[in-house]
Amino acid sequence: MSSTLIRRLSVAGAAAAALAVASCGESGQQRNGIWAAGSSTVFPFATRVAENFGRNNPEGAPPRVEALGTGGGIQAFCQGLGPRTPDVANASRRMKGSEFDMCVENGVSEIIEIKIGYDGLVVATARSGADFVIEGSDLYLALAKEVPGPNGEFIANPYRTWDQVRPGLPAVRIQVYGPPPTSGTRDSWVELAMTPSAEAVPQLADLAESDSDRFEAIAHTLREDGAWIDSGENDNAIVQTLTRTPGSVGAFGYSFLEENIGEVKPASVNGVFPDLETIASGDYPISRSMFIYVKKAHIGVTPGLEAFLIEFTSEAATGRGGYLQDRGMVPLPEAERTAQRAVVTNLTAMARPE
């Protein structure tokens, strides 16, 4: 290992740099290109950045981007340092404290967290289907495995059609295609959609105050009787299913609505439709932040990684009117975009999430 290479790795601690270099050389496994894995929602954005980066850096290997789901991407990212693990984890939610601990246990002790923009989760149907106006407790009562029964006890969800949940909703079977448990979209769905919907039920609101663990177990556990269908990590597949299954509903990221607006339409949630303005302002209730996580020890080891991060946080990519907005990303406010670029410039490692 040359002193020149060590100097190039000055952005990482000496021990981490030595480990990264050693692992990148094991069994001739040197990897020349950037590897990013994770969220299916972040996938089209990361892919677009990779395409642009590849055009501007034709001498290097093009970045490899994989859609494994947020949980799967972070799991792979946290397995250790070196070429057999991703440089970047794409996430449609913030890294959990338990995931951060797993990273540290496996030698990934310095992680750079970059917020790249916002996304909304939409409730959508085929253009030819009925209009949905989602309010209050609708999503919880339609999709939770257990709901309050006549005697106040929790019972298996008895509702079979949307109009049984609330008069005025379409008289069609409850059949919702959504993300699986490994997906960050699923985590965001239960936190941002199911939790507030459950809290709109007085009995659940009381339970949230008296026994938060019990409340979370009830509010976050989705039906297993066919009303909720786990649909894999490919949100485009959900869109295609809606057009083939009359009356069905899908839950997926806003960017996929933008890409398929001629085929599907969104429901309003508490009187608000999802669009760039309502998601950025927080007026649309089911909105979230998107992140990428980067191994600081891989900077200077994986060719082009730092330049890739600069491209990802550039105004041309993530600014208002940038090429990622064209893909459906909702840009951060200007001050926050500036702050995220400073994280990249200074290669600032994150603290453990709460």
Side-chain angles (χ1 to χ4, degrees), residues 249-271:
V249 173
F252 48 83
Y254 173 74
S255 61
F256 293 94
L257 173 68
E258 283 280 280
E259 291 177 10
N260 298 278
I261 197 64
E263 299 177 75
V264 295
K265 60 185 177 182
S268 63
V269 180
N270 293 340

Side-chain angles (χ1 to χ4, degrees), residues 171-196:
V172 295
R173 181 161 63 106
I174 299 171
Q175 188 176 17
V176 179
Y177 293 86
T182 56
S183 171
T185 302
R186 172 68 161 266
D187 293 330
S188 297
W189 175 259
V190 296
E191 289 289 345
L192 301 174
M194 297 297 292
T195 293

Side-chain angles (χ1 to χ4, degrees), residues 13-155:
L19 178 57
V21 174
S23 59
C24 281
E26 68 186 56
S27 305
Q29 292 287 324
Q30 178 69 39
R31 173 161 51 77
N32 293 322
I34 298 158
W35 179 11
S39 167
S40 62
T41 301
V42 179
F43 176 80
F45 306 129
T47 300
R48 179 66 180 84
V49 173
E51 291 169 352
N52 208 61
F53 177 83
R55 283 195 298 270
N56 295 331
N57 298 272
E59 68 284 352
R64 166 185 169 192
V65 183
E66 293 182 313
L68 305 177
T70 294
I74 291 177
Q75 177 76 22
F77 177 86
C78 287
Q79 291 309 298
L81 301 173
R84 297 182 179 179
T85 61
D87 306 294
V88 178
N90 301 325
S92 54
R93 58 161 171 80
R94 196 166 190 226
M95 180 181 283
K96 300 174 183 177
S98 58
E99 293 168 332
F100 183 89
D101 294 340
M102 175 175 58
C103 272
V104 172
E105 288 171 6
N106 290 326
V108 186
S109 57
E110 290 189 291
I111 302 168
I112 302 168
E113 177 187 72
I114 305 164
K115 185 188 289 188
I116 57 171
Y118 298 115
D119 185 36
L121 300 182
V122 301
V123 180
T125 58
R127 277 273 162 200
S128 59
D131 292 332
F132 276 77
V133 177
I134 301 297
E135 299 175 356
S137 61
D138 292 349
L139 293 175
Y140 165 74
L141 293 177
L143 298 174
K145 184 176 181 179
E146 294 184 342
V147 298
N151 299 322
E153 298 294 323
F154 288 98
I155 62 172

